PDB file of all heavy atoms in Angstrom:
ATOM      1  N   PRO A 480     266.905  95.131  42.548  1.00 98.00           N
ATOM      2  CA  PRO A 480     266.204  96.119  43.389  1.00 98.00           C
ATOM      3  C   PRO A 480     267.136  96.904  44.301  1.00 98.00           C
ATOM      4  O   PRO A 480     266.832  98.049  44.633  1.00 98.00           O
ATOM      5  CB  PRO A 480     265.201  95.267  44.178  1.00 98.00           C
ATOM      6  CG  PRO A 480     265.680  93.857  44.061  1.00 98.00           C
ATOM      7  CD  PRO A 480     266.407  93.757  42.775  1.00 98.00           C
ATOM      8  N   GLY A 481     268.255  96.335  44.704  1.00 97.00           N
ATOM      9  CA  GLY A 481     269.172  97.071  45.561  1.00 97.00           C
ATOM     10  C   GLY A 481     269.837  98.233  44.839  1.00 97.00           C
ATOM     11  O   GLY A 481     270.174  99.247  45.451  1.00 97.00           O
ATOM     12  N   PHE A 482     270.056  98.080  43.536  1.00 98.00           N
ATOM     13  CA  PHE A 482     270.673  99.166  42.762  1.00 98.00           C
ATOM     14  C   PHE A 482     269.624 100.001  42.037  1.00 98.00           C
ATOM     15  O   PHE A 482     269.617 101.212  42.117  1.00 98.00           O
ATOM     16  CB  PHE A 482     271.676  98.594  41.748  1.00 98.00           C
ATOM     17  CG  PHE A 482     272.932  98.080  42.393  1.00 98.00           C
ATOM     18  CD1 PHE A 482     273.204  96.722  42.476  1.00 98.00           C
ATOM     19  CD2 PHE A 482     273.843  98.965  42.953  1.00 98.00           C
ATOM     20  CE1 PHE A 482     274.346  96.251  43.084  1.00 98.00           C
ATOM     21  CE2 PHE A 482     275.001  98.506  43.574  1.00 98.00           C
ATOM     22  CZ  PHE A 482     275.258  97.141  43.636  1.00 98.00           C
ATOM     23  N   ASN A 483     268.765  99.336  41.303  1.00 98.00           N
ATOM     24  CA  ASN A 483     267.680 100.025  40.578  1.00 98.00           C
ATOM     25  C   ASN A 483     268.220 101.188  39.762  1.00 98.00           C
ATOM     26  O   ASN A 483     267.655 102.295  39.770  1.00 98.00           O
ATOM     27  CB  ASN A 483     266.620 100.492  41.579  1.00 98.00           C
ATOM     28  CG  ASN A 483     265.305 100.874  40.904  1.00 98.00           C
ATOM     29  OD1 ASN A 483     265.000 100.381  39.814  1.00 98.00           O
ATOM     30  ND2 ASN A 483     264.548 101.746  41.540  1.00 98.00           N
ATOM     31  N   LEU A 484     269.317 100.960  39.066  1.00 98.00           N
ATOM     32  CA  LEU A 484     269.925 102.040  38.288  1.00 98.00           C
ATOM     33  C   LEU A 484     269.076 102.348  37.048  1.00 98.00           C
ATOM     34  O   LEU A 484     268.336 101.498  36.550  1.00 98.00           O
ATOM     35  CB  LEU A 484     271.342 101.658  37.861  1.00 98.00           C
ATOM     36  CG  LEU A 484     272.340 101.422  38.997  1.00 98.00           C
ATOM     37  CD1 LEU A 484     273.724 101.107  38.424  1.00 98.00           C
ATOM     38  CD2 LEU A 484     272.423 102.635  39.922  1.00 98.00           C
ATOM     39  N   ALA A 485     269.248 103.544  36.556  1.00 98.00           N
ATOM     40  CA  ALA A 485     268.524 103.966  35.351  1.00 98.00           C
ATOM     41  C   ALA A 485     269.270 103.447  34.130  1.00 98.00           C
ATOM     42  O   ALA A 485     269.849 104.200  33.365  1.00 98.00           O
ATOM     43  CB  ALA A 485     268.397 105.484  35.327  1.00 98.00           C
ATOM     44  N   VAL A 486     269.266 102.134  33.959  1.00 98.00           N
ATOM     45  CA  VAL A 486     270.007 101.495  32.870  1.00 98.00           C
ATOM     46  C   VAL A 486     269.026 100.708  32.006  1.00 98.00           C
ATOM     47  O   VAL A 486     268.338  99.817  32.496  1.00 98.00           O
ATOM     48  CB  VAL A 486     271.104 100.553  33.415  1.00 98.00           C
ATOM     49  CG1 VAL A 486     271.784  99.804  32.274  1.00 98.00           C
ATOM     50  CG2 VAL A 486     272.127 101.344  34.228  1.00 98.00           C
ATOM     51  N   GLY A 487     268.957 101.053  30.749  1.00 98.00           N
ATOM     52  CA  GLY A 487     268.145 100.304  29.798  1.00 98.00           C
ATOM     53  C   GLY A 487     269.027  99.482  28.873  1.00 98.00           C
ATOM     54  O   GLY A 487     270.247  99.455  29.019  1.00 98.00           O
ATOM     55  N   CYS A 488     268.393  98.821  27.932  1.00 98.00           N
ATOM     56  CA  CYS A 488     269.145  97.951  27.025  1.00 98.00           C
ATOM     57  C   CYS A 488     268.716  98.223  25.588  1.00 98.00           C
ATOM     58  O   CYS A 488     267.536  98.118  25.250  1.00 98.00           O
ATOM     59  CB  CYS A 488     268.873  96.488  27.392  1.00 98.00           C
ATOM     60  SG  CYS A 488     269.713  95.314  26.315  1.00 98.00           S
ATOM     61  N   LEU A 489     269.705  98.573  24.781  1.00 98.00           N
ATOM     62  CA  LEU A 489     269.431  98.822  23.367  1.00 98.00           C
ATOM     63  C   LEU A 489     269.770  97.586  22.547  1.00 98.00           C
ATOM     64  O   LEU A 489     270.880  97.045  22.641  1.00 98.00           O
ATOM     65  CB  LEU A 489     270.254 100.006  22.851  1.00 98.00           C
ATOM     66  CG  LEU A 489     269.987 100.366  21.380  1.00 98.00           C
ATOM     67  CD1 LEU A 489     268.580 100.919  21.197  1.00 98.00           C
ATOM     68  CD2 LEU A 489     271.024 101.355  20.858  1.00 98.00           C
ATOM     69  N   MET A 490     268.807  97.158  21.751  1.00 98.00           N
ATOM     70  CA  MET A 490     268.975  95.997  20.871  1.00 98.00           C
ATOM     71  C   MET A 490     268.390  96.346  19.506  1.00 98.00           C
ATOM     72  O   MET A 490     267.653  97.312  19.368  1.00 98.00           O
ATOM     73  CB  MET A 490     268.186  94.792  21.408  1.00 98.00           C
ATOM     74  CG  MET A 490     268.580  94.354  22.801  1.00 98.00           C
ATOM     75  SD  MET A 490     267.327  93.246  23.548  1.00 98.00           S
ATOM     76  CE  MET A 490     266.228  94.469  24.299  1.00 98.00           C
ATOM     77  N   ARG A 491     268.678  95.505  18.552  1.00 98.00           N
ATOM     78  CA  ARG A 491     267.856  95.503  17.330  1.00 98.00           C
ATOM     79  C   ARG A 491     266.880  94.333  17.501  1.00 98.00           C
ATOM     80  O   ARG A 491     265.987  94.435  18.365  1.00 98.00           O
ATOM     81  CB  ARG A 491     268.761  95.396  16.100  1.00 98.00           C
ATOM     82  CG  ARG A 491     269.404  96.755  15.786  1.00 98.00           C
ATOM     83  CD  ARG A 491     270.402  96.648  14.660  1.00 98.00           C
ATOM     84  NE  ARG A 491     270.858  97.929  14.190  1.00 98.00           N
ATOM     85  CZ  ARG A 491     270.215  98.730  13.315  1.00 98.00           C
ATOM     86  NH1 ARG A 491     269.054  98.367  12.812  1.00 98.00           N
ATOM     87  NH2 ARG A 491     270.745  99.873  12.951  1.00 98.00           N
ATOM     88  N   SER A 492     267.042  93.236  16.782  1.00 95.00           N
ATOM     89  CA  SER A 492     266.165  92.093  17.057  1.00 95.00           C
ATOM     90  C   SER A 492     266.367  91.665  18.500  1.00 95.00           C
ATOM     91  O   SER A 492     267.478  91.633  18.997  1.00 95.00           O
ATOM     92  CB  SER A 492     266.510  90.920  16.142  1.00 95.00           C
ATOM     93  OG  SER A 492     266.339  91.308  14.802  1.00 95.00           O
ATOM     94  N   VAL A 493     265.276  91.346  19.172  1.00 94.00           N
ATOM     95  CA  VAL A 493     265.393  90.909  20.550  1.00 94.00           C
ATOM     96  C   VAL A 493     266.036  89.528  20.587  1.00 94.00           C
ATOM     97  O   VAL A 493     265.655  88.640  19.813  1.00 94.00           O
ATOM     98  CB  VAL A 493     264.009  90.888  21.217  1.00 94.00           C
ATOM     99  CG1 VAL A 493     264.100  90.338  22.628  1.00 94.00           C
ATOM    100  CG2 VAL A 493     263.428  92.292  21.235  1.00 94.00           C
ATOM    101  N   TRP A 494     267.048  89.358  21.458  1.00 87.00           N
ATOM    102  CA  TRP A 494     267.717  88.063  21.614  1.00 87.00           C
ATOM    103  C   TRP A 494     266.640  86.993  21.786  1.00 87.00           C
ATOM    104  O   TRP A 494     265.656  87.202  22.465  1.00 87.00           O
ATOM    105  CB  TRP A 494     268.649  88.081  22.830  1.00 87.00           C
ATOM    106  CG  TRP A 494     267.940  88.501  24.073  1.00 87.00           C
ATOM    107  CD1 TRP A 494     267.841  89.751  24.573  1.00 87.00           C
ATOM    108  CD2 TRP A 494     267.154  87.669  24.935  1.00 87.00           C
ATOM    109  NE1 TRP A 494     267.056  89.778  25.682  1.00 87.00           N
ATOM    110  CE2 TRP A 494     266.626  88.500  25.939  1.00 87.00           C
ATOM    111  CE3 TRP A 494     266.849  86.309  24.977  1.00 87.00           C
ATOM    112  CZ2 TRP A 494     265.822  88.020  26.954  1.00 87.00           C
ATOM    113  CZ3 TRP A 494     266.035  85.826  25.980  1.00 87.00           C
ATOM    114  CH2 TRP A 494     265.531  86.676  26.955  1.00 87.00           C
ATOM    115  N   GLY A 495     266.875  85.880  21.154  1.00 83.00           N
ATOM    116  CA  GLY A 495     265.937  84.767  21.318  1.00 83.00           C
ATOM    117  C   GLY A 495     264.763  84.811  20.371  1.00 83.00           C
ATOM    118  O   GLY A 495     264.056  83.825  20.212  1.00 83.00           O
ATOM    119  N   SER A 496     264.537  85.973  19.747  1.00 90.00           N
ATOM    120  CA  SER A 496     263.406  86.052  18.825  1.00 90.00           C
ATOM    121  C   SER A 496     263.785  85.541  17.441  1.00 90.00           C
ATOM    122  O   SER A 496     262.915  85.255  16.624  1.00 90.00           O
ATOM    123  CB  SER A 496     262.900  87.492  18.718  1.00 90.00           C
ATOM    124  OG  SER A 496     263.858  88.314  18.069  1.00 90.00           O
ATOM    125  N   LEU A 497     265.061  85.421  17.170  1.00 93.00           N
ATOM    126  CA  LEU A 497     265.521  84.913  15.880  1.00 93.00           C
ATOM    127  C   LEU A 497     266.241  83.591  16.112  1.00 93.00           C
ATOM    128  O   LEU A 497     266.922  83.421  17.124  1.00 93.00           O
ATOM    129  CB  LEU A 497     266.479  85.901  15.210  1.00 93.00           C
ATOM    130  CG  LEU A 497     265.882  87.246  14.791  1.00 93.00           C
ATOM    131  CD1 LEU A 497     266.919  88.077  14.068  1.00 93.00           C
ATOM    132  CD2 LEU A 497     264.666  87.029  13.894  1.00 93.00           C
ATOM    133  N   PRO A 498     266.154  82.660  15.166  1.00 96.00           N
ATOM    134  CA  PRO A 498     266.783  81.351  15.385  1.00 96.00           C
ATOM    135  C   PRO A 498     268.313  81.435  15.453  1.00 96.00           C
ATOM    136  O   PRO A 498     268.939  80.576  16.066  1.00 96.00           O
ATOM    137  CB  PRO A 498     266.316  80.524  14.183  1.00 96.00           C
ATOM    138  CG  PRO A 498     265.872  81.517  13.159  1.00 96.00           C
ATOM    139  CD  PRO A 498     265.396  82.717  13.923  1.00 96.00           C
ATOM    140  N   GLU A 499     268.902  82.457  14.871  1.00 97.00           N
ATOM    141  CA  GLU A 499     270.359  82.573  14.873  1.00 97.00           C
ATOM    142  C   GLU A 499     270.936  82.794  16.267  1.00 97.00           C
ATOM    143  O   GLU A 499     272.149  82.601  16.478  1.00 97.00           O
ATOM    144  CB  GLU A 499     270.806  83.741  13.965  1.00 97.00           C
ATOM    145  CG  GLU A 499     270.612  83.510  12.475  1.00 97.00           C
ATOM    146  CD  GLU A 499     269.228  83.883  11.990  1.00 97.00           C
ATOM    147  OE1 GLU A 499     268.362  84.199  12.839  1.00 97.00           O
ATOM    148  OE2 GLU A 499     268.992  83.879  10.769  1.00 97.00           O
ATOM    149  N   TYR A 500     270.095  83.218  17.196  1.00 96.00           N
ATOM    150  CA  TYR A 500     270.563  83.523  18.552  1.00 96.00           C
ATOM    151  C   TYR A 500     271.313  82.337  19.155  1.00 96.00           C
ATOM    152  O   TYR A 500     270.833  81.216  19.154  1.00 96.00           O
ATOM    153  CB  TYR A 500     269.350  83.876  19.417  1.00 96.00           C
ATOM    154  CG  TYR A 500     269.633  84.055  20.882  1.00 96.00           C
ATOM    155  CD1 TYR A 500     270.364  85.132  21.365  1.00 96.00           C
ATOM    156  CD2 TYR A 500     269.163  83.119  21.804  1.00 96.00           C
ATOM    157  CE1 TYR A 500     270.599  85.289  22.727  1.00 96.00           C
ATOM    158  CE2 TYR A 500     269.389  83.277  23.171  1.00 96.00           C
ATOM    159  CZ  TYR A 500     270.116  84.361  23.615  1.00 96.00           C
ATOM    160  OH  TYR A 500     270.354  84.502  24.958  1.00 96.00           O
ATOM    161  N   HIS A 501     272.503  82.610  19.639  1.00 96.00           N
ATOM    162  CA  HIS A 501     273.318  81.596  20.319  1.00 96.00           C
ATOM    163  C   HIS A 501     273.584  80.371  19.433  1.00 96.00           C
ATOM    164  O   HIS A 501     273.502  79.235  19.897  1.00 96.00           O
ATOM    165  CB  HIS A 501     272.674  81.190  21.653  1.00 96.00           C
ATOM    166  CG  HIS A 501     273.009  82.167  22.764  1.00 96.00           C
ATOM    167  ND1 HIS A 501     272.744  81.925  24.080  1.00 96.00           N
ATOM    168  CD2 HIS A 501     273.609  83.390  22.736  1.00 96.00           C
ATOM    169  CE1 HIS A 501     273.155  82.967  24.813  1.00 96.00           C
ATOM    170  NE2 HIS A 501     273.678  83.860  24.021  1.00 96.00           N
ATOM    171  N   THR A 502     273.865  80.673  18.146  1.00 98.00           N
ATOM    172  CA  THR A 502     274.277  79.605  17.241  1.00 98.00           C
ATOM    173  C   THR A 502     275.392  80.134  16.339  1.00 98.00           C
ATOM    174  O   THR A 502     275.651  81.345  16.287  1.00 98.00           O
ATOM    175  CB  THR A 502     273.141  79.144  16.304  1.00 98.00           C
ATOM    176  OG1 THR A 502     272.979  80.146  15.277  1.00 98.00           O
ATOM    177  CG2 THR A 502     271.822  78.943  17.027  1.00 98.00           C
ATOM    178  N   SER A 503     275.974  79.200  15.609  1.00 98.00           N
ATOM    179  CA  SER A 503     277.047  79.576  14.682  1.00 98.00           C
ATOM    180  C   SER A 503     276.529  80.444  13.536  1.00 98.00           C
ATOM    181  O   SER A 503     277.327  81.026  12.791  1.00 98.00           O
ATOM    182  CB  SER A 503     277.697  78.319  14.101  1.00 98.00           C
ATOM    183  OG  SER A 503     276.696  77.498  13.495  1.00 98.00           O
ATOM    184  N   ALA A 504     275.200  80.565  13.417  1.00 98.00           N
ATOM    185  CA  ALA A 504     274.653  81.444  12.369  1.00 98.00           C
ATOM    186  C   ALA A 504     274.748  82.916  12.772  1.00 98.00           C
ATOM    187  O   ALA A 504     274.543  83.799  11.942  1.00 98.00           O
ATOM    188  CB  ALA A 504     273.203  81.069  12.072  1.00 98.00           C
ATOM    189  N   ASP A 505     275.052  83.174  14.030  1.00 98.00           N
ATOM    190  CA  ASP A 505     275.318  84.559  14.445  1.00 98.00           C
ATOM    191  C   ASP A 505     276.783  84.852  14.132  1.00 98.00           C
ATOM    192  O   ASP A 505     277.620  84.986  15.018  1.00 98.00           O
ATOM    193  CB  ASP A 505     274.999  84.749  15.933  1.00 98.00           C
ATOM    194  CG  ASP A 505     275.296  86.177  16.403  1.00 98.00           C
ATOM    195  OD1 ASP A 505     275.668  87.036  15.563  1.00 98.00           O
ATOM    196  OD2 ASP A 505     275.165  86.424  17.620  1.00 98.00           O
TER     197      ASP A 505
END
Side-chain angles (χ1 to χ4, degrees):
Chain A
F482 288 108
N483 195 25
L484 298 182
V486 175
C488 179
L489 182 68
M490 301 164 272
R491 282 175 170 278
S492 300
V493 176
W494 54 267
S496 68
L497 294 184
E499 290 86 353
Y500 173 69
H501 278 191
T502 76
S503 55
D505 179 4

